[in-house]
Amino acid sequence: MTKVRALVLERQHELALRDIDLPLAVGRGMVKIAIHTVGVCGSDIHYYTHGKIGPFVVNAPMVLGHEAAGTIIEVGEGVSHLKIGDRVCMEPGIPDPNSRAARLGMYNIDPAVTFWATPPVHGVLTAEVVHPANYTFKLPDNVSFAEGAMVEPFAVGMQAAFKAGIKPGDTAVVLGAGPIGTMVAIAALAGGCARVIVADLAQPKLDIAARYQGVIPVNIREQNLVAEVKKLTEDWGADVVFECSGSPHAWKTIMDLPRPGGTIVVVGLPVEPAPFDIATASTKELKIETVFRYAHQYDRAIALFASGRVDLKPLISETFAFEDSIKAFERAVEARSTDVKLQIRVAR
């Protein structure tokens, strides 16, 4: 163990920038990375404000952060595809490679997966981390560290678009214009949707999403979403509906949005069980897909960034210095309607 400075969640509502012991020995198949940029995720904030997410409870001090990019500074034995000096981003979930889920290719739902900044596993808001080379991805020269740290949340959007089975020219609806909802919309457009109707209560968030060609914003404070979707699709309905708000209220009318035979992809997670209209889903033969994190999406996401097809730089609202990490979290707790993604630059 090595004593290093990190942003530590001591307990609910208490953060500290302090020294903590972390494992930094580089074993076979591992690489050591000097962290450059880390994004502030909603899960980080939830642990800070609530002290838990479902069964994952902060019972001991934990380093936060899992959306990261940096530079390789040491390479372990057996690693041949990466070298010192490579700029990289890292997939934060590590499965048991011998588990049944991993062997089936669904490693994201391996019950044994360990995930950065998910109790009791430490995150990466610190100067250096050690990570498996197989879950470390080289960044092209034209993709910045800030963009590299956006690969993780965008991978959720990519997983949602993949699970939707999008066909060229599809019309999609995204419920919720938060960071994930906006990235789902961008991923759906990159995946072949001709247009994506994005619905939210907050006009500033809709304005940000509407910067992307193909996005049609709908403020549900002022407009009836079902009526707007019917008007835009000549009473047919959307091919795909992505529920990204996590609000149980979304399920009251969600079955009215997809076309017959359409697909609903569940991305947002309600805190409490939500009512589900089985009868309408059945009579319309709707397909229901769910998303938990992602699998096999990093390479594809990085390729889209490098090609210029996807530009997430406009979603970065502000970048904080590492010494201002606590201020970044306090800002995130404010949940400003004009903020999409806050980042912390760890490198000096």
Side-chain angles (χ1 to χ4, degrees):
M1 302 293 279
T2 305
K3 194 172 289 293
V4 294
R5 188 165 173 79
L7 180 68
V8 181
L9 176 61
E10 305 285 8
R11 58 188 61 84
Q12 183 182 3
H13 300 310
E14 184 180 341
L15 290 169
L17 266 175
R18 66 169 176 86
D19 288 347
I20 188 172
D21 286 326
L22 295 177
L24 288 178
V26 180
R28 182 177 179 82
M30 309 291 280
V31 292
K32 183 182 287 186
I33 303 128
I35 297 295
H36 187 283
T37 301
V38 179
V40 179
C41 177
S43 65
D44 295 319
I45 299 306
H46 202 87
Y47 283 123
Y48 174 39
T49 57
H50 292 77
K52 63 179 181 179
I53 297 177
F56 300 103
V57 181
V58 180
N59 291 318
M62 179 182 76
V63 178
L64 291 169
H66 65 262
E67 305 173 1
T71 303
I72 291 180
I73 57 175
E74 187 176 344
V75 176
E77 184 183 353
V79 177
S80 58
H81 68 289
L82 295 170
K83 65 183 185 301
I84 292 173
D86 282 347
R87 300 164 57 257
V88 295
C89 63
M90 296 76 76
E91 187 167 344
I94 307 303
D96 172 3
N98 297 314
S99 72
R100 191 166 186 171
R103 286 186 287 112
L104 287 170
M106 304 182 295
Y107 63 87
N108 56 312
I109 52 174
D110 175 10
V113 71
T114 59
F115 199 92
W116 281 341
T118 300
V121 182
H122 287 300
V124 295
L125 269 165
T126 186
E128 298 175 1
V129 297
V130 173
H131 199 59
N134 285 342
Y135 293 87
T136 302
F137 298 83
K138 188 174 179 179
L139 294 174
D141 292 341
N142 64 335
V143 176
S144 67
F145 286 115
E147 292 171 284
M150 295 283 271
V151 171
E152 197 279 337
F154 187 65
V156 177
M158 294 285 288
Q159 183 81 357
F162 174 77
K163 294 293 286 287
I166 292 168
K167 297 178 178 59
D170 274 356
T171 294
V173 173
V174 172
L175 304 179
I180 293 299
T182 301
M183 293 193 204
V184 166
I186 296 167
L189 289 166
C193 281
R195 54 187 177 173
V196 179
I197 302 159
V198 178
D200 202 284
L201 296 163
Q203 190 60 46
K205 291 188 180 298
L206 291 170
D207 292 340
I208 293 168
R211 296 174 186 172
Y212 290 88
Q213 185 176 358
V215 169
I216 301 171
V218 173
N219 188 324
I220 55 177
R221 289 189 190 276
E222 303 169 357
Q223 298 168 278
N224 182 290
L225 179 60
V226 174
E228 289 298 313
V229 171
K230 286 184 176 181
K231 182 171 68 175
L232 289 165
T233 61
E234 298 179 341
D235 287 328
W236 180 235
D239 300 290
V240 182
V241 177
F242 298 95
E243 204 310 279
C244 301
S245 71
S247 170
H249 299 294
W251 289 91
K252 293 178 180 178
T253 57
I254 196 169
M255 301 300 173
D256 297 328
L257 298 172
R259 63 168 173 81
T263 301
I264 295 174
V265 182
V266 186
V267 184
L269 301 177
V271 175
E272 300 294 336
F276 186 84
D277 185 357
I278 295 173
T280 301
S282 179
T283 56
K284 293 177 76 171
E285 286 202 352
L286 300 178
K287 295 179 286 292
I288 312 293
E289 294 282 357
T290 58
V291 168
F292 183 65
R293 296 173 181 159
Y294 39 77
H296 312 292
Q297 299 298 344
Y298 262 56
D299 283 326
R300 294 173 182 272
I302 292 168
L304 284 170
F305 286 17
S307 71
R309 287 281 306 280
V310 168
D311 179 11
L312 299 186
K313 294 189 293 293
L315 303 184
I316 302 171
S317 304
E318 189 162 340
T319 302
F320 293 77
F322 179 58
E323 293 302 316
D324 293 328
S325 294
I326 295 175
K327 291 181 181 179
F329 273 72
E330 291 171 347
R331 163 78 168 267
V333 170
E334 293 177 25
R336 298 182 187 180
S337 60
T338 51
D339 283 346
V340 179
K341 178 57 65 176
L342 302 177
Q343 292 188 330
I344 297 169
R345 179 169 173 157
V346 178
R348 293 183 182 276

